[in-house]
């Protein structure tokens, strides 16, 4: 569970682009026009009351500060990259003023790369896999004749018959060299072994790298290997690998060569040749798009030759749901697989696959990927093709997932989000209060400057009149009262932004506009407007970061007859 901290969350109290109501790509002329208009609205000399004059002066200074930063190319480039804090950092005064914004961005990217490299040198990249094989054939393949004579024969006998654990870590030595340490342990029916490997990788250039591997195990003996990668062209690369195993039966050399080429934007073609204990020639075609993944592979070798086809469909949903199926046939028989994969949390992906083969039988494979760790649970159900085993292997995981998802995952995720929002609100409470006070000050200043006159002036011209403006999270009438308090009235600030009977808002968050503040931090917000143009009523609801231009004919409310 990720917990929000003060360093992780920074409440943006002021967005200069939103304050001036201009887009981020605004030209200098657009900045000047908006600045002049806001200066006329906020000028302190329009007030005689000392308190109102102080409030107007505060708003006037904010607008002036925003224009001063954005109108200077050097300051604007720093602000775009670092935000307001970047302008307050000591040391920028030594940066040459003659540098262009592009040069400043390049310098920032270089510093970021150096920072990442330093962080990488102090961090490992652990990866691990745990596989637990379960023999559950007694659920379906039972011997009824001798069943009563066996101790505990009233219950099916389910056992763990194999286990595999592997782990690897990386340690950057220099900017080009990386050391990797990996090891694994395996056991099957009471016997097993393990091995350990040390690999050193060197990046020789932007087009290639090489690896040197040393390994040792209690079964096969020491291993020495070399692997090379090279980009031949922008669309083609080669991978070559050779190794020498010192086994009890003597030296066992092996080598492989793989060539790959981009056939088009989404399609890759592979050709691989292996020589050694498992010699084979494999060719495959892989097509990966936004909505699907297709693989076609043909292998000719000793002892296995096969033809394999697989297809995966990707749903465009938040949980990244995928359904997949494959067919594999060769000298070993025929295997059909189908399954589904879904993201169950921010860092976890769960998948289930049913494998039906002749003569392999029926197997249910459950896989859980959590960050860089993978957990595999292959459950062998039967050695025969039994419809009951296929049915339970398909329906069982689906029902179990629905139950766990509704009873555990959804409540846990909801509680996690609420906790993060609460921490976010607490960390930004002071900033929200300050922003709210500024918004109320802006509204009171609008009224004191003769907003009523401005309103009736537009009425006389039959121009654009903002009748009601609401900003925040909208809820139904059946919701609780405290939820309704998440919406604020922004009618007056919006009416004062009307120019030439038009209101134009950029794609920036509306919370940065004068007279606005964020009433519900961390939640989705929208802007609801009821306005009149040429005597006709209009209504529109706009998302928080959605640009808005009114009036529009599509917003017109049809009069009821």
């Amino acid at each position: 569970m990720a917990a929000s901290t003060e360093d992780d969350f920074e409440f943006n109290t002021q967005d200069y682009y939103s304050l001036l109501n201009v887009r981020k790509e605004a030209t200098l002329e657009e900045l000047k026009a908006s600045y002049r208009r806001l200066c006329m609205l906020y000028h302190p000399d329009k007030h005689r009351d000392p308190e109102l004059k102080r409030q107007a002066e505060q708003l006037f200074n904010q607008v002036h500060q925003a224009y001063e930063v954005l109108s200077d190319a050097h300051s604007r480039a720093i602000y775009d990259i670092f935000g307001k804090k970047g302008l307050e950092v000591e040391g920028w005064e030594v940066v040459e003023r003659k540098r262009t914004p592009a040069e400043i961005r390049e310098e920032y990217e270089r510093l970021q790369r150096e920072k990442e490299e330093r962080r990488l040198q102090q961090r490992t990249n652990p990866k691990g896999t745990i596989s637990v094989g379960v023999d559950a054939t007694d659920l379906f393949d039972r011997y009824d004749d001798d069943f009563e004579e066996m101790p505990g024969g009233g219950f099916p006998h389910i056992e763990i018959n194999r286990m595999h654990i592997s782990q690897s870590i990386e340690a950057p030595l220099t900017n080009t060299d990386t050391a990797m340490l990996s090891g694994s342990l395996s056991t099957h029916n009471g016997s097993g072994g393990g091995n350990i490997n040390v690999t050193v990788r060197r990046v020789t250039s932007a087009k290639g790298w090489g690896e040197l591997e040393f390994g040792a195990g209690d079964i096969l003996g020491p291993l020495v290997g070399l692997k090379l990668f090279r980009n031949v062209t922008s669309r083609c690369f080669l991978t070559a690998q050779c190794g020498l195993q010192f086994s009890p039966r003597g030296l066992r050399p092996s080598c492989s060569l793989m060539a790959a080429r981009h056939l088009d934007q989404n399609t890759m073609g592979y050709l691989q040749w292996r020589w050694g204990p498992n010699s084979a020639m494999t060719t495959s075609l892989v097509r990966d798009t936004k909505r699907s993944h297709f693989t076609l592979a043909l292998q000719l070798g000793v002892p296995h030759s096969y033809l394999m086809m697989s297809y995966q469909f990707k749903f465009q949903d938040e949980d990244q749901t995928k359904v997949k199926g494959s067919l594999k046939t060769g000298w070993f028989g025929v295997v059909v697989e189908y399954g589904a994969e879904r993201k169950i949390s921010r860092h976890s992906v769960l998948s289930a696959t049913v494998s039906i083969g002749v003569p392999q039988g029926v197997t249910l494979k459950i896989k859980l990927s959590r960050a860089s760790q993978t957990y595999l649970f292959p459950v062998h159900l039967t050695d025969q093709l039994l419809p009951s085993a296929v049915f339970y292997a398909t329906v069982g995981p689906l029902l179990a997932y629905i139950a766990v998802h509704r009873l555990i995952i959804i409540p846990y995720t909801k509680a996690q989000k609420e906790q993060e929002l609460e921490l976010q609100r607490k960390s930004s409470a002071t900033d929200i209060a300050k922003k709210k006070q500024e918004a109320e000050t802006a509204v009171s200043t609008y009224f004191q400057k003769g907003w009523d006159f401005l309103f009736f002036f537009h009425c006389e011209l039959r121009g654009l009149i903002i009748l009601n403006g609401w900003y925040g999270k909208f809820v139904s009438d059946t919701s609780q009262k405290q939820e309704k308090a998440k919406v604020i009235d922004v009618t007056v600030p919006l009416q004062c932004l009307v120019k030439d009977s038009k209101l134009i808002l950029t794609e920036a968050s509306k919370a940065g506009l004068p007279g606005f503040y964020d009433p519900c931090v961390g939640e989705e917000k929208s802007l609801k407007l009821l306005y009149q143009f040429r005597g006709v009523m209009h209504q529109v609801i706009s998302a928080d970061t959605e640009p808005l231009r009114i009036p529009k004919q599509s917003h017109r409310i049809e009069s009821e007859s």
Side-chain angles (χ1 to χ4, degrees):
M1 181 175 64
S4 299
T5 62
E6 293 184 0
D7 294 335
D8 296 332
F9 174 75
E10 176 185 351
F11 186 81
N12 188 7
T13 58
Q14 197 173 65
D15 180 5
Y16 288 157
Y17 291 100
S18 297
L19 187 63
L20 296 179
N21 191 28
V22 295
R23 53 194 179 89
K24 289 190 175 182
E25 300 80 16
T27 62
L28 185 59
E29 289 72 19
E30 292 173 336
L31 289 171
K32 288 181 179 179
S34 178
Y35 172 65
R36 290 172 180 172
R37 184 169 180 274
L38 292 176
C39 285
M40 294 176 63
L41 290 174
Y42 296 129
H43 205 287
D45 294 343
K46 293 187 177 182
H47 304 281
R48 296 181 179 179
D49 185 271
E51 180 62 23
L52 292 178
K53 189 170 185 177
R54 185 191 65 81
Q55 296 174 356
E57 185 176 6
Q58 182 180 3
L59 294 171
F60 182 84
N61 290 336
Q62 290 180 6
V63 172
H64 178 72
Q65 182 183 17
Y67 175 73
E68 192 176 45
V69 171
L70 299 183
S71 60
D72 181 78
H74 182 267
S75 300
R76 184 174 181 177
I78 298 174
Y79 176 77
D80 288 343
I81 298 172
F82 299 98
K84 187 179 178 181
K85 284 189 175 182
L87 300 170
E88 302 171 356
V89 175
E90 295 183 1
W92 278 115
E93 60 272 8
V94 302
V95 178
E96 297 181 21
R97 298 287 299 184
K98 64 181 181 180
R99 285 194 176 186
T100 64
E103 291 174 337
I104 295 176
R105 291 179 186 273
E106 291 177 358
E107 179 69 9
Y108 169 72
E109 291 173 356
R110 186 186 66 81
L111 294 174
Q112 284 293 98
R113 286 195 298 269
E114 292 180 356
K115 181 180 178 180
E116 288 298 324
E117 290 170 359
R118 289 193 300 268
R119 181 184 300 176
L120 192 61
Q121 293 174 5
Q122 302 171 357
R123 182 183 62 186
T124 62
N125 183 25
K127 296 180 182 178
T129 301
I130 298 177
S131 178
V132 179
V134 180
D135 185 0
T137 55
D138 201 35
L139 289 171
F140 300 96
D141 300 336
R142 308 187 72 175
Y143 298 95
D144 297 332
D145 295 338
D146 302 331
F147 176 69
E148 298 294 340
E149 301 178 1
M150 297 177 61
F155 299 95
H157 180 64
I158 300 175
E159 65 177 3
I160 296 176
N161 61 354
R162 65 177 63 191
M163 184 177 293
H164 175 80
I165 301 175
S166 63
Q167 188 74 30
S168 67
I169 58 173
E170 297 180 2
L173 304 178
T174 65
N175 292 339
T176 59
D177 297 333
T178 303
M180 291 167 281
L181 177 65
S182 62
S184 65
L185 292 172
S186 301
T187 178
H188 179 56
N189 291 331
S191 62
N195 62 74
I196 186 170
N197 296 76
V198 177
T199 305
V200 178
R201 173 184 293 182
R202 163 163 287 190
V203 179
T204 56
S205 66
K207 294 184 177 182
W209 48 264
E211 285 184 355
L212 186 60
E213 180 182 7
F214 302 94
D218 60 352
I219 297 178
L220 296 178
L223 167 70
V224 178
L226 177 65
K227 186 176 182 180
L228 299 174
F229 172 86
R230 180 72 177 180
N231 278 314
V232 181
T233 65
S234 59
R235 299 170 60 90
C236 180
F237 65 85
L238 293 174
T239 301
Q241 186 174 5
C242 62
L244 192 61
Q245 185 86 53
F246 298 89
S247 67
R249 298 182 180 180
L251 296 179
R252 302 177 63 182
S254 64
C255 63
S256 66
L257 180 65
M258 185 185 70
R261 179 177 174 80
H262 289 272
L263 303 180
D264 59 36
Q265 184 178 1
N266 301 310
T267 308
M268 287 286 296
Y270 298 90
L271 183 61
Q272 183 179 21
W273 170 77
R274 293 198 311 271
W275 175 79
N278 297 311
S279 300
M281 176 70 77
T282 306
T283 180
S284 57
L285 184 69
V286 179
R287 181 170 178 81
D288 190 10
T289 64
K290 187 178 180 180
R291 301 191 66 91
S292 64
H293 182 92
F294 174 76
T295 302
L296 175 63
L298 174 63
Q299 176 174 301
L300 300 175
V302 179
H304 297 299
S305 295
Y306 64 83
L307 173 66
M308 188 269 289
M309 291 184 296
S310 68
Y311 179 80
Q312 185 181 88
F313 182 79
K314 307 173 186 177
F315 291 90
Q316 303 301 308
D317 58 353
E318 184 180 355
D319 295 324
Q320 302 176 7
T321 306
K322 302 174 184 177
V323 293
K324 51 189 175 181
S326 67
L327 172 64
K328 189 175 182 180
T329 178
W331 302 121
F332 54 84
V334 179
V335 178
V336 177
E337 292 187 351
Y338 59 89
E341 178 183 299
R342 192 168 193 180
K343 185 177 181 181
I344 58 175
S345 69
R346 184 181 303 175
H347 303 292
S348 301
V349 177
L350 179 66
S351 65
T353 304
V354 179
S355 176
I356 307 171
V358 178
Q360 291 84 359
V362 181
T363 302
L364 172 63
K365 302 175 182 178
I366 299 175
K367 178 181 178 182
L368 175 64
S369 299
R370 173 72 177 173
S372 59
Q373 302 294 315
T374 303
Y375 305 89
L376 299 173
F377 302 93
V379 183
H380 188 52
L381 300 177
T382 175
D383 294 324
Q384 309 174 46
L385 293 183
L386 297 179
S388 58
V390 176
F391 174 79
Y392 285 110
T394 305
V395 178
L398 181 61
L399 295 178
Y401 171 77
I402 293 175
V404 173
H405 187 263
R406 292 187 177 182
L407 298 178
I408 299 178
I409 297 178
I410 291 180
Y412 172 78
T413 305
K414 184 178 180 181
Q416 185 182 35
K417 289 183 178 179
E418 290 178 354
Q419 184 178 4
E420 290 177 353
L421 282 176
E422 186 63 26
L423 291 174
Q424 189 172 322
R425 293 189 188 102
K426 289 181 179 179
S427 63
S428 57
T430 304
D431 296 316
I432 294 175
K434 181 180 179 181
K435 195 71 175 178
K436 180 179 179 180
Q437 182 180 4
E438 292 176 356
E440 293 173 348
T441 300
V443 173
S444 63
T445 305
Y446 287 142
F447 276 116
Q448 295 299 325
K449 286 189 294 185
W451 178 81
D452 292 331
F453 171 78
L454 183 63
F455 181 85
F456 288 109
F457 177 74
H458 283 281
C459 290
E460 291 294 328
L461 295 178
R462 291 174 60 84
L464 177 62
I465 303 171
I466 307 296
L467 300 176
N468 283 305
W470 302 95
Y471 175 69
K473 180 181 179 181
F474 293 91
V475 295
S476 61
D477 295 334
T478 58
S479 300
Q480 299 178 357
K481 292 184 179 181
Q482 55 266 28
E483 291 183 340
K484 294 184 179 180
K486 294 181 181 180
V487 179
I488 61 174
D489 187 348
V490 291
T491 306
V492 175
L494 289 177
Q495 183 64 57
C496 291
L497 290 178
V498 173
K499 180 181 180 182
D500 299 330
S501 286
K502 293 180 182 179
L503 177 62
I504 301 175
L505 301 179
T506 64
E507 69 278 2
S509 175
K510 308 300 184 293
L513 291 171
F516 283 65
Y517 68 93
D518 193 344
C520 45
V521 176
E523 301 182 49
E524 293 185 2
K525 296 170 283 293
S526 55
L527 177 65
K528 184 177 181 180
L529 290 180
L530 178 66
Y531 65 93
Q532 181 176 316
F533 182 68
R534 296 179 180 175
V536 181
M537 300 293 293
H538 296 70
Q539 181 173 308
V540 60
I541 298 180
S542 171
D544 185 26
T545 57
E546 179 181 337
L548 178 66
R549 299 175 66 94
I550 60 174
K552 278 191 176 182
Q553 185 67 24
S554 58
H555 302 160
R556 181 171 178 173
I557 302 177
E558 299 294 338
S559 58
E560 299 182 358
S561 58

